[in-house]
């Protein structure tokens, strides 16, 4: 396992003039979204704004209804599209003590702070999604008002709205390719379908280019589909 980790480290370019970790990533993301205020939250398509680094959501503009935790729902959190457990469990630190132990690991910090895998989300939805797998299981969306995403707590699945499924797929392929993360057969089939069904729109292409300028690398699965 240590050899695998060392090999992985050698294969990952370091960010020029910046340490790639979650805290620095959040700083960059706030700047990106302040400069693109028309963009909305990932899972629910709600408008949001920043006061300094603190992001907040206006429920009235998107018909969002908090499911349980209004306080957490009112704030913006940075969601790992591929959950930290998915990329962390490949490392020895995760086996030694989970995410807390991996906070001491430079490889984990780099993966956790990869801008390509981070999206702005309503805090409550980010918490509900947890590390659940993406799936298709319902045609009814009532948990979060007019938000067209859903969670099944019993089977630990999360169904995202149509508009972001292609972005999710290309993020998963990016993480698989860059960090040697294994996808299950069912994940690979679902992501392949979503990648084909939902090509990038302008914001996904623009965001990819902006992140490349900051982080030093693009998501090639987006780049190859953008003009």
């Amino acid at each position: 396992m240590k050899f695998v980790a060392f090999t992985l480290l050698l294969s990952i370019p370091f960010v020029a003039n910046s340490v790639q970790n979650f805290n620095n990533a959040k700083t960059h993301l706030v700047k990106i979204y302040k400069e693109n205020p028309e963009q909305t939250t990932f899972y629910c398509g709600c408008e949001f704004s920043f006061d300094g680094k603190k992001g907040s959501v206006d429920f009235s503009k998107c018909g969002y209804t908090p499911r349980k935790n209004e306080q957490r729902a009112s704030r913006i959190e940075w969601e790992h599209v591929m959950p930290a457990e998915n990329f962390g469990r490949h490392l020895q630190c995760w086996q030694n003590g989970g995410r807390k132990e991996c906070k001491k690991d430079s490889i984990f910090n780099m993966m956790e702070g990869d801008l390509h895998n981070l999206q702005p989300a309503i805090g409550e939805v980010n918490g509900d999604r947890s590390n659940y797998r993406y799936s298709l299981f319902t045609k009814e969306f009532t948990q979060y008002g007019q938000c067209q995403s859903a969670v099944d707590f019993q089977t630990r699945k999360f169904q995202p709205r149509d508009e972001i499924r292609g972005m999710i797929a290309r993020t998963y392929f990016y993480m698989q390719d860059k960090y040697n993360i294994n996808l299950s057969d069912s994940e690979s089939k679902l992501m392949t379908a979503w990648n084909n069904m939902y090509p990038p729109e302008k914001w996904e292409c623009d965001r990819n280019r902006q992140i490349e300028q900051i982080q030093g690398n693009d998501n090639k699965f987006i780049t190859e589909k953008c003009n």
Side-chain angles (χ1 to χ4, degrees):
M1 181 62 68
K2 290 183 178 179
F3 175 75
V4 173
F6 181 69
T7 303
L8 177 60
L9 181 59
L10 290 179
S11 69
I12 302 171
F14 286 86
V15 180
N17 303 318
S18 177
V19 176
Q20 186 172 316
N21 59 41
F22 192 32
N23 285 334
N24 285 342
K26 288 186 283 188
T27 299
H28 288 304
L29 287 164
V30 170
K31 184 174 186 295
I32 288 174
Y33 282 88
K34 278 185 175 180
E35 293 174 352
N36 297 273
E38 72 282 3
Q39 300 308 319
T40 59
T41 61
F42 196 55
Y43 293 126
C44 295
C46 292
E47 294 181 20
F48 63 96
S49 58
F50 286 100
D51 180 7
K53 292 185 178 181
K54 182 180 178 181
S56 59
V57 183
D58 186 346
F59 300 152
S60 66
K61 292 186 178 181
C62 67
Y64 183 90
T65 303
R67 183 187 65 81
K68 186 177 181 180
N69 190 335
E70 184 171 353
Q71 182 176 1
R72 189 170 182 182
S74 66
R75 69 177 188 239
I76 290 296
E77 296 179 359
W78 297 105
E79 158 78 328
H80 287 91
V81 179
M82 175 181 281
E85 182 181 9
N86 287 41
F87 54 79
R89 65 188 179 205
H90 293 262
L91 302 174
Q92 186 65 49
C93 60
W94 195 275
Q95 298 174 34
N96 291 343
R99 189 168 189 165
K100 183 178 180 180
E101 187 66 24
C102 275
K103 286 291 187 180
K104 307 170 189 176
D105 187 277
S106 60
I107 302 173
F108 177 82
N109 286 331
M110 190 174 294
M111 291 190 284
E112 188 185 35
D114 195 308
L115 294 167
H116 289 292
N117 189 42
L118 291 164
Q119 294 284 352
I122 290 174
E124 180 180 44
V125 183
N126 179 37
D128 285 353
R129 189 268 165 129
S130 184
N131 61 355
Y132 297 174
R133 287 192 173 190
Y134 293 113
S135 182
L136 299 177
F137 56 84
T138 187
K139 293 184 179 179
E140 296 183 7
F141 303 95
T142 58
Q143 291 168 306
Y144 308 106
Q146 295 178 25
C147 175
Q148 298 293 295
S149 292
V151 61
D152 187 326
F153 294 103
Q154 289 188 331
T155 61
R156 300 177 62 84
K157 294 178 181 178
F158 187 91
Q159 181 168 318
R161 62 192 180 108
D162 294 7
E163 293 86 346
I164 61 170
R165 291 175 186 173
M167 298 174 72
I168 290 170
R170 287 179 283 279
T171 301
Y172 264 62
F173 288 149
Y174 166 83
M175 294 295 288
Q176 177 189 42
D177 178 72
K178 185 168 180 61
Y179 300 111
N180 300 317
I181 308 300
N182 296 324
L183 301 183
S184 68
D185 289 343
S186 60
E187 281 179 322
S188 294
K189 289 177 181 177
L190 182 63
M191 296 307 164
T192 298
W194 284 359
N195 183 41
N196 293 332
M197 290 172 65
Y198 304 100
E201 296 188 358
K202 184 177 184 298
W203 169 241
E204 186 178 353
C205 297
D206 290 347
R207 182 181 187 274
N208 182 44
R209 286 190 287 267
Q210 290 179 44
I211 290 175
E212 182 179 13
Q213 292 177 356
I214 296 167
Q215 189 167 285
N217 69 296
D218 68 338
N219 178 341
K220 68 181 183 181
F221 300 96
I222 299 174
T223 301
E224 67 188 13
K225 287 180 173 284
C226 295
N227 296 326

